[in-house]
Amino acid sequence: MISVKLITAPTEEPVSLAEAKLHLRMDAEETSPATTHPDDVLVAALIEAARDWAERFQNRAYITQTWRLSMVAFPTERYIELPRPPLQSLVTLSYWDGTATQVVSFVDPSGTALLETDDYLVDIESQPGRLCLKPGLSWPVIESRANAVQIEYVAGYGAASDVPERVKAAIKLRISEMYENRGDQATDQRYKSAAEMLLWMDRIIPI
């Protein structure tokens, strides 16, 4: 059994409130989209909802965030795929050996993220990224139980400025759909389809 839990959430959104308001043509008669509007709180909530929908649709992470992957045992394969790419770095690998929890750190004393240790390689190029065994080595012997193996890692493109523009465009389309079709009104499939088309190219299909 595998589970993934968000440990540290993003500190910003790919689309700012000012960008969303400009896209929605709010404050059209004002001098700046930064001007306070009665719907500011609503739009901020829609930005978060649209980003969450886009991340789930693509199975990706946008702004830097930390996740924990938990498993009952090590896999038969020589690598472990880490959901929600792009993978930035690993933090720790921990496992229960039947007596105590053993921890392998992927951060050196200076705080620099390591792409390899004596036993493991971190593959940040693959999509999704992977934790790989080095040639000739095997996974540690563990006692299988719930969350016996846990990997904490950092994912995302980086800051908002690093997120692809087509992703931001899709999020804005999704915001428009939700803003213009509130309450019990039918969803306008034109916006959703256009947003999905922008996101489909880099979508990660779960195996």
Side-chain angles (χ1 to χ4, degrees):
M1 180 178 177
I2 297 176
S3 64
V4 183
K5 180 180 180 180
L6 179 65
I7 303 302
T8 305
T11 57
E12 61 179 337
E13 294 291 345
V15 175
S16 69
L17 178 60
E19 290 171 330
K21 290 166 65 175
L22 187 62
H23 177 75
L24 293 171
R25 298 178 182 175
M26 295 165 61
D27 302 310
E29 298 179 358
E30 302 289 348
T31 58
S32 169
T35 303
T36 301
H37 189 281
D39 283 348
D40 279 0
V41 174
L42 170 62
V43 175
L46 296 182
I47 292 171
E48 181 178 354
R51 183 262 306 160
D52 182 64
W53 168 82
E55 284 185 319
R56 290 175 185 273
F57 181 82
Q58 283 198 311
N59 295 304
R60 286 182 173 273
Y62 297 152
I63 306 297
T64 297
Q65 50 200 265
T66 304
W67 289 81
R68 180 185 297 138
L69 172 69
S70 300
M71 304 181 292
V72 297
F74 283 108
T76 55
E77 296 85 1
R78 296 184 57 78
Y79 62 86
I80 299 172
E81 287 192 343
L82 302 171
R84 295 293 187 118
L87 173 64
Q88 289 188 28
S89 62
L90 255 66
V91 181
T92 56
L93 162 66
S94 60
Y95 55 91
W96 175 254
D97 66 4
T99 302
T101 298
Q102 304 298 326
V103 179
V104 179
S105 176
F106 289 84
V107 181
D108 70 15
S110 70
T112 301
L114 303 174
L115 292 182
E116 68 174 290
T117 65
D118 291 342
D119 300 327
Y120 308 103
L121 293 171
V122 181
D123 176 9
I124 62 174
E125 299 299 328
S126 296
Q127 300 283 327
R130 306 182 300 175
L131 170 63
C132 307
L133 278 170
K134 284 188 172 180
L137 299 179
S138 302
W139 297 115
V141 176
I142 67 169
E143 181 178 293
S144 181
R145 67 172 192 177
N147 305 321
V149 179
Q150 295 189 317
I151 302 173
E152 192 165 311
Y153 60 98
V154 180
Y157 291 103
S161 58
D162 300 312
V163 178
E165 288 301 322
R166 61 180 172 275
V167 169
K168 296 180 183 180
I171 291 173
K172 291 174 184 177
L173 286 171
R174 188 65 166 157
I175 293 169
S176 295
E177 181 233 330
M178 292 187 290
Y179 186 75
E180 296 175 15
N181 297 280
R182 285 174 271 179
D184 296 326
Q185 299 180 46
T187 298
D188 190 334
Q189 292 299 315
R190 293 174 301 170
Y191 292 106
K192 184 177 180 181
S193 297
E196 289 179 352
M197 287 178 62
L198 287 168
L199 297 175
W200 189 267
M201 181 183 302
D202 294 319
R203 190 183 189 199
I204 301 296
I205 308 297
I207 299 176

